[in-house]
Amino acid sequence: MSKYTTGEMAKLCGVTVRTVQYYDGRGILVPSELSEGGRRLYSEENLKRLKLICFLRELGLPINSISQLFSEEDPGSVISLLIDQQEAAVREELDKEQRKLDKLTDLKRELKAIRYFSLESITDIARVMENRKNLSKVHTIMLATGIPFTLLEVGAIILWIVTGIWWPFFAYLAAAVPYGIWVSRYYFSRVAYICPQCHEVFKPNFKEAFFARHTPHTRKLTCTACGHHGFCVETWEGK
């Protein structure tokens, strides 16, 4: 039967000698015998165990869990639980890494849209990215309340064209005007804007914001801090 030294075990399993010694010290890889000179010698069974340990470590199982597994009389009753726990831990780590990747992707996209780059620009982008979820909630509420009014408008126009009955359309207008005022005030009370010049967050007055030229994420405003007039980046105010 073959006997292996610590160095040979390490080479066969692609690990360092120190790793083999560490597993020995933890009591999960005990040599089968000692040579006359006191060298540790490992058997074929020891080699199989080391390969199993390396495999479990590649899966991310901690040493304590592997030690627990080897100490069980019925390891089959424990391995499934350990695998489930490790799977949950790996999935959580993957979610964290995916969130990092998403942020990096967003940052690259936002940087491409910047005309003049500065370190403050990254701060502005970080603020926008952090508040994007809250801002999306505001947009969702506006969309959810606006769709019924749009459907009422279309229905009233069709009814007028087909039947000549006009009063539902004017009833819609009577309701749409207060709704438009409410949704506009709701929206502008929950958003603010980042000046690309001084990087301050400011709130414009309602009239200027309502009539300003805009894109989905910017609005042409006058910064209340430095007086710069241009497209400012929309962000959530935090109410």
mmCIF file with all atom_site columns, all heavy atoms in Angstrom, residues 181-200:
data_model
loop_
_atom_site.group_PDB
_atom_site.id
_atom_site.type_symbol
_atom_site.label_atom_id
_atom_site.label_alt_id
_atom_site.label_comp_id
_atom_site.label_asym_id
_atom_site.label_entity_id
_atom_site.label_seq_id
_atom_site.pdbx_PDB_ins_code
_atom_site.Cartn_x
_atom_site.Cartn_y
_atom_site.Cartn_z
_atom_site.occupancy
_atom_site.B_iso_or_equiv
_atom_site.pdbx_formal_charge
_atom_site.auth_seq_id
_atom_site.auth_comp_id
_atom_site.auth_asym_id
_atom_site.auth_atom_id
_atom_site.pdbx_PDB_model_num
ATOM 1   N N   . ILE A 1 181 ? -53.352 69.512 -11.185 1.00 0.00 ? 181 ILE A N   1
ATOM 2   C CA  . ILE A 1 181 ? -52.728 70.386 -10.190 1.00 0.00 ? 181 ILE A CA  1
ATOM 3   C C   . ILE A 1 181 ? -52.177 69.548 -9.034  1.00 0.00 ? 181 ILE A C   1
ATOM 4   O O   . ILE A 1 181 ? -51.040 69.740 -8.580  1.00 0.00 ? 181 ILE A O   1
ATOM 5   C CB  . ILE A 1 181 ? -53.731 71.426 -9.674  1.00 0.00 ? 181 ILE A CB  1
ATOM 6   C CG1 . ILE A 1 181 ? -54.143 72.358 -10.830 1.00 0.00 ? 181 ILE A CG1 1
ATOM 7   C CG2 . ILE A 1 181 ? -53.154 72.222 -8.511  1.00 0.00 ? 181 ILE A CG2 1
ATOM 8   C CD1 . ILE A 1 181 ? -55.260 73.313 -10.475 1.00 0.00 ? 181 ILE A CD1 1
ATOM 9   N N   . TRP A 1 182 ? -53.002 68.576 -8.579  1.00 0.00 ? 182 TRP A N   1
ATOM 10  C CA  . TRP A 1 182 ? -52.568 67.733 -7.457  1.00 0.00 ? 182 TRP A CA  1
ATOM 11  C C   . TRP A 1 182 ? -51.337 66.920 -7.801  1.00 0.00 ? 182 TRP A C   1
ATOM 12  O O   . TRP A 1 182 ? -50.372 66.887 -7.035  1.00 0.00 ? 182 TRP A O   1
ATOM 13  C CB  . TRP A 1 182 ? -53.693 66.790 -7.049  1.00 0.00 ? 182 TRP A CB  1
ATOM 14  C CG  . TRP A 1 182 ? -53.219 65.775 -6.036  1.00 0.00 ? 182 TRP A CG  1
ATOM 15  C CD1 . TRP A 1 182 ? -53.100 65.951 -4.700  1.00 0.00 ? 182 TRP A CD1 1
ATOM 16  C CD2 . TRP A 1 182 ? -52.737 64.453 -6.322  1.00 0.00 ? 182 TRP A CD2 1
ATOM 17  N NE1 . TRP A 1 182 ? -52.565 64.818 -4.110  1.00 0.00 ? 182 TRP A NE1 1
ATOM 18  C CE2 . TRP A 1 182 ? -52.356 63.879 -5.090  1.00 0.00 ? 182 TRP A CE2 1
ATOM 19  C CE3 . TRP A 1 182 ? -52.612 63.698 -7.496  1.00 0.00 ? 182 TRP A CE3 1
ATOM 20  C CZ2 . TRP A 1 182 ? -51.840 62.576 -4.998  1.00 0.00 ? 182 TRP A CZ2 1
ATOM 21  C CZ3 . TRP A 1 182 ? -52.101 62.411 -7.405  1.00 0.00 ? 182 TRP A CZ3 1
ATOM 22  C CH2 . TRP A 1 182 ? -51.729 61.862 -6.175  1.00 0.00 ? 182 TRP A CH2 1
ATOM 23  N N   . VAL A 1 183 ? -51.341 66.259 -8.955  1.00 0.00 ? 183 VAL A N   1
ATOM 24  C CA  . VAL A 1 183 ? -50.231 65.372 -9.296  1.00 0.00 ? 183 VAL A CA  1
ATOM 25  C C   . VAL A 1 183 ? -48.942 66.170 -9.536  1.00 0.00 ? 183 VAL A C   1
ATOM 26  O O   . VAL A 1 183 ? -47.846 65.716 -9.208  1.00 0.00 ? 183 VAL A O   1
ATOM 27  C CB  . VAL A 1 183 ? -50.581 64.495 -10.520 1.00 0.00 ? 183 VAL A CB  1
ATOM 28  C CG1 . VAL A 1 183 ? -50.484 65.273 -11.828 1.00 0.00 ? 183 VAL A CG1 1
ATOM 29  C CG2 . VAL A 1 183 ? -49.678 63.265 -10.575 1.00 0.00 ? 183 VAL A CG2 1
ATOM 30  N N   . SER A 1 184 ? -49.110 67.392 -10.069 1.00 0.00 ? 184 SER A N   1
ATOM 31  C CA  . SER A 1 184 ? -47.927 68.234 -10.280 1.00 0.00 ? 184 SER A CA  1
ATOM 32  C C   . SER A 1 184 ? -47.320 68.663 -8.953  1.00 0.00 ? 184 SER A C   1
ATOM 33  O O   . SER A 1 184 ? -46.094 68.607 -8.773  1.00 0.00 ? 184 SER A O   1
ATOM 34  C CB  . SER A 1 184 ? -48.291 69.470 -11.107 1.00 0.00 ? 184 SER A CB  1
ATOM 35  O OG  . SER A 1 184 ? -48.738 69.089 -12.390 1.00 0.00 ? 184 SER A OG  1
ATOM 36  N N   . ARG A 1 185 ? -48.179 69.069 -8.026  1.00 0.00 ? 185 ARG A N   1
ATOM 37  C CA  . ARG A 1 185 ? -47.675 69.483 -6.714  1.00 0.00 ? 185 ARG A CA  1
ATOM 38  C C   . ARG A 1 185 ? -47.090 68.286 -5.954  1.00 0.00 ? 185 ARG A C   1
ATOM 39  O O   . ARG A 1 185 ? -46.082 68.415 -5.245  1.00 0.00 ? 185 ARG A O   1
ATOM 40  C CB  . ARG A 1 185 ? -48.785 70.164 -5.903  1.00 0.00 ? 185 ARG A CB  1
ATOM 41  C CG  . ARG A 1 185 ? -49.210 71.515 -6.486  1.00 0.00 ? 185 ARG A CG  1
ATOM 42  C CD  . ARG A 1 185 ? -50.057 72.310 -5.521  1.00 0.00 ? 185 ARG A CD  1
ATOM 43  N NE  . ARG A 1 185 ? -50.382 73.628 -6.062  1.00 0.00 ? 185 ARG A NE  1
ATOM 44  C CZ  . ARG A 1 185 ? -49.570 74.671 -6.049  1.00 0.00 ? 185 ARG A CZ  1
ATOM 45  N NH1 . ARG A 1 185 ? -48.362 74.555 -5.496  1.00 0.00 ? 185 ARG A NH1 1
ATOM 46  N NH2 . ARG A 1 185 ? -49.942 75.825 -6.550  1.00 0.00 ? 185 ARG A NH2 1
ATOM 47  N N   . TYR A 1 186 ? -47.748 67.136 -6.089  1.00 0.00 ? 186 TYR A N   1
ATOM 48  C CA  . TYR A 1 186 ? -47.228 65.913 -5.459  1.00 0.00 ? 186 TYR A CA  1
ATOM 49  C C   . TYR A 1 186 ? -45.830 65.614 -5.981  1.00 0.00 ? 186 TYR A C   1
ATOM 50  O O   . TYR A 1 186 ? -44.910 65.324 -5.207  1.00 0.00 ? 186 TYR A O   1
ATOM 51  C CB  . TYR A 1 186 ? -48.173 64.750 -5.755  1.00 0.00 ? 186 TYR A CB  1
ATOM 52  C CG  . TYR A 1 186 ? -47.590 63.399 -5.414  1.00 0.00 ? 186 TYR A CG  1
ATOM 53  C CD1 . TYR A 1 186 ? -47.623 62.913 -4.097  1.00 0.00 ? 186 TYR A CD1 1
ATOM 54  C CD2 . TYR A 1 186 ? -46.991 62.606 -6.397  1.00 0.00 ? 186 TYR A CD2 1
ATOM 55  C CE1 . TYR A 1 186 ? -47.073 61.683 -3.782  1.00 0.00 ? 186 TYR A CE1 1
ATOM 56  C CE2 . TYR A 1 186 ? -46.442 61.371 -6.083  1.00 0.00 ? 186 TYR A CE2 1
ATOM 57  C CZ  . TYR A 1 186 ? -46.486 60.915 -4.782  1.00 0.00 ? 186 TYR A CZ  1
ATOM 58  O OH  . TYR A 1 186 ? -45.938 59.704 -4.472  1.00 0.00 ? 186 TYR A OH  1
ATOM 59  N N   . TYR A 1 187 ? -45.669 65.702 -7.278  1.00 0.00 ? 187 TYR A N   1
ATOM 60  C CA  . TYR A 1 187 ? -44.398 65.376 -7.917  1.00 0.00 ? 187 TYR A CA  1
ATOM 61  C C   . TYR A 1 187 ? -43.299 66.344 -7.497  1.00 0.00 ? 187 TYR A C   1
ATOM 62  O O   . TYR A 1 187 ? -42.231 65.936 -7.016  1.00 0.00 ? 187 TYR A O   1
ATOM 63  C CB  . TYR A 1 187 ? -44.581 65.395 -9.434  1.00 0.00 ? 187 TYR A CB  1
ATOM 64  C CG  . TYR A 1 187 ? -43.324 65.139 -10.209 1.00 0.00 ? 187 TYR A CG  1
ATOM 65  C CD1 . TYR A 1 187 ? -42.690 63.906 -10.164 1.00 0.00 ? 187 TYR A CD1 1
ATOM 66  C CD2 . TYR A 1 187 ? -42.773 66.135 -11.012 1.00 0.00 ? 187 TYR A CD2 1
ATOM 67  C CE1 . TYR A 1 187 ? -41.535 63.672 -10.884 1.00 0.00 ? 187 TYR A CE1 1
ATOM 68  C CE2 . TYR A 1 187 ? -41.618 65.906 -11.740 1.00 0.00 ? 187 TYR A CE2 1
ATOM 69  C CZ  . TYR A 1 187 ? -41.009 64.669 -11.679 1.00 0.00 ? 187 TYR A CZ  1
ATOM 70  O OH  . TYR A 1 187 ? -39.867 64.444 -12.386 1.00 0.00 ? 187 TYR A OH  1
ATOM 71  N N   . PHE A 1 188 ? -43.548 67.635 -7.639  1.00 0.00 ? 188 PHE A N   1
ATOM 72  C CA  . PHE A 1 188 ? -42.503 68.623 -7.370  1.00 0.00 ? 188 PHE A CA  1
ATOM 73  C C   . PHE A 1 188 ? -42.209 68.791 -5.878  1.00 0.00 ? 188 PHE A C   1
ATOM 74  O O   . PHE A 1 188 ? -41.163 69.324 -5.516  1.00 0.00 ? 188 PHE A O   1
ATOM 75  C CB  . PHE A 1 188 ? -42.862 69.969 -7.998  1.00 0.00 ? 188 PHE A CB  1
ATOM 76  C CG  . PHE A 1 188 ? -42.767 69.961 -9.496  1.00 0.00 ? 188 PHE A CG  1
ATOM 77  C CD1 . PHE A 1 188 ? -43.882 70.181 -10.284 1.00 0.00 ? 188 PHE A CD1 1
ATOM 78  C CD2 . PHE A 1 188 ? -41.554 69.708 -10.122 1.00 0.00 ? 188 PHE A CD2 1
ATOM 79  C CE1 . PHE A 1 188 ? -43.797 70.152 -11.670 1.00 0.00 ? 188 PHE A CE1 1
ATOM 80  C CE2 . PHE A 1 188 ? -41.453 69.684 -11.507 1.00 0.00 ? 188 PHE A CE2 1
ATOM 81  C CZ  . PHE A 1 188 ? -42.575 69.899 -12.281 1.00 0.00 ? 188 PHE A CZ  1
ATOM 82  N N   . SER A 1 189 ? -43.117 68.319 -5.021  1.00 0.00 ? 189 SER A N   1
ATOM 83  C CA  . SER A 1 189 ? -42.830 68.365 -3.586  1.00 0.00 ? 189 SER A CA  1
ATOM 84  C C   . SER A 1 189 ? -41.884 67.253 -3.163  1.00 0.00 ? 189 SER A C   1
ATOM 85  O O   . SER A 1 189 ? -41.317 67.294 -2.068  1.00 0.00 ? 189 SER A O   1
ATOM 86  C CB  . SER A 1 189 ? -44.134 68.265 -2.778  1.00 0.00 ? 189 SER A CB  1
ATOM 87  O OG  . SER A 1 189 ? -44.705 66.967 -2.903  1.00 0.00 ? 189 SER A OG  1
ATOM 88  N N   . ARG A 1 190 ? -41.706 66.262 -4.032  1.00 0.00 ? 190 ARG A N   1
ATOM 89  C CA  . ARG A 1 190 ? -40.882 65.097 -3.691  1.00 0.00 ? 190 ARG A CA  1
ATOM 90  C C   . ARG A 1 190 ? -39.584 64.997 -4.486  1.00 0.00 ? 190 ARG A C   1
ATOM 91  O O   . ARG A 1 190 ? -38.837 64.053 -4.312  1.00 0.00 ? 190 ARG A O   1
ATOM 92  C CB  . ARG A 1 190 ? -41.709 63.819 -3.856  1.00 0.00 ? 190 ARG A CB  1
ATOM 93  C CG  . ARG A 1 190 ? -42.692 63.631 -2.704  1.00 0.00 ? 190 ARG A CG  1
ATOM 94  C CD  . ARG A 1 190 ? -43.807 62.666 -3.042  1.00 0.00 ? 190 ARG A CD  1
ATOM 95  N NE  . ARG A 1 190 ? -44.642 62.445 -1.877  1.00 0.00 ? 190 ARG A NE  1
ATOM 96  C CZ  . ARG A 1 190 ? -45.571 63.286 -1.436  1.00 0.00 ? 190 ARG A CZ  1
ATOM 97  N NH1 . ARG A 1 190 ? -45.771 64.431 -2.085  1.00 0.00 ? 190 ARG A NH1 1
ATOM 98  N NH2 . ARG A 1 190 ? -46.280 63.017 -0.363  1.00 0.00 ? 190 ARG A NH2 1
ATOM 99  N N   . VAL A 1 191 ? -39.357 65.924 -5.379  1.00 0.00 ? 191 VAL A N   1
ATOM 100 C CA  . VAL A 1 191 ? -38.111 65.898 -6.143  1.00 0.00 ? 191 VAL A CA  1
ATOM 101 C C   . VAL A 1 191 ? -37.334 67.192 -5.921  1.00 0.00 ? 191 VAL A C   1
ATOM 102 O O   . VAL A 1 191 ? -37.899 68.214 -5.538  1.00 0.00 ? 191 VAL A O   1
ATOM 103 C CB  . VAL A 1 191 ? -38.366 65.690 -7.658  1.00 0.00 ? 191 VAL A CB  1
ATOM 104 C CG1 . VAL A 1 191 ? -39.068 64.371 -7.914  1.00 0.00 ? 191 VAL A CG1 1
ATOM 105 C CG2 . VAL A 1 191 ? -39.153 66.859 -8.243  1.00 0.00 ? 191 VAL A CG2 1
ATOM 106 N N   . ALA A 1 192 ? -36.030 67.080 -6.123  1.00 0.00 ? 192 ALA A N   1
ATOM 107 C CA  . ALA A 1 192 ? -35.155 68.244 -6.100  1.00 0.00 ? 192 ALA A CA  1
ATOM 108 C C   . ALA A 1 192 ? -34.210 68.103 -7.288  1.00 0.00 ? 192 ALA A C   1
ATOM 109 O O   . ALA A 1 192 ? -34.282 67.120 -8.037  1.00 0.00 ? 192 ALA A O   1
ATOM 110 C CB  . ALA A 1 192 ? -34.391 68.312 -4.778  1.00 0.00 ? 192 ALA A CB  1
ATOM 111 N N   . TYR A 1 193 ? -33.324 69.056 -7.462  1.00 0.00 ? 193 TYR A N   1
ATOM 112 C CA  . TYR A 1 193 ? -32.451 69.040 -8.641  1.00 0.00 ? 193 TYR A CA  1
ATOM 113 C C   . TYR A 1 193 ? -31.009 69.358 -8.237  1.00 0.00 ? 193 TYR A C   1
ATOM 114 O O   . TYR A 1 193 ? -30.769 70.152 -7.320  1.00 0.00 ? 193 TYR A O   1
ATOM 115 C CB  . TYR A 1 193 ? -32.958 70.034 -9.684  1.00 0.00 ? 193 TYR A CB  1
ATOM 116 C CG  . TYR A 1 193 ? -34.296 69.617 -10.235 1.00 0.00 ? 193 TYR A CG  1
ATOM 117 C CD1 . TYR A 1 193 ? -35.475 69.997 -9.602  1.00 0.00 ? 193 TYR A CD1 1
ATOM 118 C CD2 . TYR A 1 193 ? -34.385 68.780 -11.345 1.00 0.00 ? 193 TYR A CD2 1
ATOM 119 C CE1 . TYR A 1 193 ? -36.711 69.565 -10.070 1.00 0.00 ? 193 TYR A CE1 1
ATOM 120 C CE2 . TYR A 1 193 ? -35.619 68.350 -11.815 1.00 0.00 ? 193 TYR A CE2 1
ATOM 121 C CZ  . TYR A 1 193 ? -36.770 68.746 -11.182 1.00 0.00 ? 193 TYR A CZ  1
ATOM 122 O OH  . TYR A 1 193 ? -37.983 68.304 -11.641 1.00 0.00 ? 193 TYR A OH  1
ATOM 123 N N   . ILE A 1 194 ? -30.084 68.712 -8.935  1.00 0.00 ? 194 ILE A N   1
ATOM 124 C CA  . ILE A 1 194 ? -28.661 68.891 -8.662  1.00 0.00 ? 194 ILE A CA  1
ATOM 125 C C   . ILE A 1 194 ? -28.078 69.804 -9.735  1.00 0.00 ? 194 ILE A C   1
ATOM 126 O O   . ILE A 1 194 ? -28.158 69.501 -10.933 1.00 0.00 ? 194 ILE A O   1
ATOM 127 C CB  . ILE A 1 194 ? -27.918 67.552 -8.666  1.00 0.00 ? 194 ILE A CB  1
ATOM 128 C CG1 . ILE A 1 194 ? -28.564 66.571 -7.678  1.00 0.00 ? 194 ILE A CG1 1
ATOM 129 C CG2 . ILE A 1 194 ? -26.448 67.749 -8.333  1.00 0.00 ? 194 ILE A CG2 1
ATOM 130 C CD1 . ILE A 1 194 ? -28.018 65.160 -7.779  1.00 0.00 ? 194 ILE A CD1 1
ATOM 131 N N   . CYS A 1 195 ? -27.483 70.899 -9.301  1.00 0.00 ? 195 CYS A N   1
ATOM 132 C CA  . CYS A 1 195 ? -26.876 71.843 -10.242 1.00 0.00 ? 195 CYS A CA  1
ATOM 133 C C   . CYS A 1 195 ? -25.559 71.266 -10.768 1.00 0.00 ? 195 CYS A C   1
ATOM 134 O O   . CYS A 1 195 ? -24.695 70.879 -9.973  1.00 0.00 ? 195 CYS A O   1
ATOM 135 C CB  . CYS A 1 195 ? -26.609 73.175 -9.545  1.00 0.00 ? 195 CYS A CB  1
ATOM 136 S SG  . CYS A 1 195 ? -25.708 74.358 -10.573 1.00 0.00 ? 195 CYS A SG  1
ATOM 137 N N   . PRO A 1 196 ? -25.374 71.210 -12.089 1.00 0.00 ? 196 PRO A N   1
ATOM 138 C CA  . PRO A 1 196 ? -24.126 70.663 -12.639 1.00 0.00 ? 196 PRO A CA  1
ATOM 139 C C   . PRO A 1 196 ? -22.931 71.608 -12.458 1.00 0.00 ? 196 PRO A C   1
ATOM 140 O O   . PRO A 1 196 ? -21.794 71.194 -12.640 1.00 0.00 ? 196 PRO A O   1
ATOM 141 C CB  . PRO A 1 196 ? -24.457 70.485 -14.125 1.00 0.00 ? 196 PRO A CB  1
ATOM 142 C CG  . PRO A 1 196 ? -25.495 71.516 -14.409 1.00 0.00 ? 196 PRO A CG  1
ATOM 143 C CD  . PRO A 1 196 ? -26.316 71.620 -13.147 1.00 0.00 ? 196 PRO A CD  1
ATOM 144 N N   . GLN A 1 197 ? -23.216 72.848 -12.080 1.00 0.00 ? 197 GLN A N   1
ATOM 145 C CA  . GLN A 1 197 ? -22.144 73.839 -11.933 1.00 0.00 ? 197 GLN A CA  1
ATOM 146 C C   . GLN A 1 197 ? -21.563 73.836 -10.517 1.00 0.00 ? 197 GLN A C   1
ATOM 147 O O   . GLN A 1 197 ? -20.363 73.680 -10.324 1.00 0.00 ? 197 GLN A O   1
ATOM 148 C CB  . GLN A 1 197 ? -22.674 75.232 -12.274 1.00 0.00 ? 197 GLN A CB  1
ATOM 149 C CG  . GLN A 1 197 ? -21.607 76.298 -12.425 1.00 0.00 ? 197 GLN A CG  1
ATOM 150 C CD  . GLN A 1 197 ? -20.795 76.113 -13.695 1.00 0.00 ? 197 GLN A CD  1
ATOM 151 O OE1 . GLN A 1 197 ? -21.287 75.580 -14.673 1.00 0.00 ? 197 GLN A OE1 1
ATOM 152 N NE2 . GLN A 1 197 ? -19.541 76.546 -13.655 1.00 0.00 ? 197 GLN A NE2 1
ATOM 153 N N   . CYS A 1 198 ? -22.436 74.002 -9.514  1.00 0.00 ? 198 CYS A N   1
ATOM 154 C CA  . CYS A 1 198 ? -21.956 74.081 -8.128  1.00 0.00 ? 198 CYS A CA  1
ATOM 155 C C   . CYS A 1 198 ? -22.236 72.803 -7.343  1.00 0.00 ? 198 CYS A C   1
ATOM 156 O O   . CYS A 1 198 ? -21.810 72.665 -6.198  1.00 0.00 ? 198 CYS A O   1
ATOM 157 C CB  . CYS A 1 198 ? -22.590 75.268 -7.404  1.00 0.00 ? 198 CYS A CB  1
ATOM 158 S SG  . CYS A 1 198 ? -24.377 75.114 -7.129  1.00 0.00 ? 198 CYS A SG  1
ATOM 159 N N   . HIS A 1 199 ? -23.011 71.884 -7.948  1.00 0.00 ? 199 HIS A N   1
ATOM 160 C CA  . HIS A 1 199 ? -23.324 70.563 -7.377  1.00 0.00 ? 199 HIS A CA  1
ATOM 161 C C   . HIS A 1 199 ? -24.188 70.634 -6.116  1.00 0.00 ? 199 HIS A C   1
ATOM 162 O O   . HIS A 1 199 ? -24.240 69.682 -5.348  1.00 0.00 ? 199 HIS A O   1
ATOM 163 C CB  . HIS A 1 199 ? -22.034 69.778 -7.088  1.00 0.00 ? 199 HIS A CB  1
ATOM 164 C CG  . HIS A 1 199 ? -21.144 69.642 -8.286  1.00 0.00 ? 199 HIS A CG  1
ATOM 165 N ND1 . HIS A 1 199 ? -21.382 68.716 -9.280  1.00 0.00 ? 199 HIS A ND1 1
ATOM 166 C CD2 . HIS A 1 199 ? -20.046 70.338 -8.660  1.00 0.00 ? 199 HIS A CD2 1
ATOM 167 C CE1 . HIS A 1 199 ? -20.447 68.832 -10.215 1.00 0.00 ? 199 HIS A CE1 1
ATOM 168 N NE2 . HIS A 1 199 ? -19.636 69.810 -9.869  1.00 0.00 ? 199 HIS A NE2 1
ATOM 169 N N   . GLU A 1 200 ? -24.842 71.776 -5.917  1.00 0.00 ? 200 GLU A N   1
ATOM 170 C CA  . GLU A 1 200 ? -25.774 71.892 -4.801  1.00 0.00 ? 200 GLU A CA  1
ATOM 171 C C   . GLU A 1 200 ? -27.133 71.311 -5.196  1.00 0.00 ? 200 GLU A C   1
ATOM 172 O O   . GLU A 1 200 ? -27.529 71.350 -6.366  1.00 0.00 ? 200 GLU A O   1
ATOM 173 C CB  . GLU A 1 200 ? -25.950 73.360 -4.396  1.00 0.00 ? 200 GLU A CB  1
ATOM 174 C CG  . GLU A 1 200 ? -24.739 73.965 -3.717  1.00 0.00 ? 200 GLU A CG  1
ATOM 175 C CD  . GLU A 1 200 ? -24.475 73.358 -2.353  1.00 0.00 ? 200 GLU A CD  1
ATOM 176 O OE1 . GLU A 1 200 ? -25.456 73.045 -1.645  1.00 0.00 ? 200 GLU A OE1 1
ATOM 177 O OE2 . GLU A 1 200 ? -23.287 73.182 -2.003  1.00 0.00 ? 200 GLU A OE2 1
#
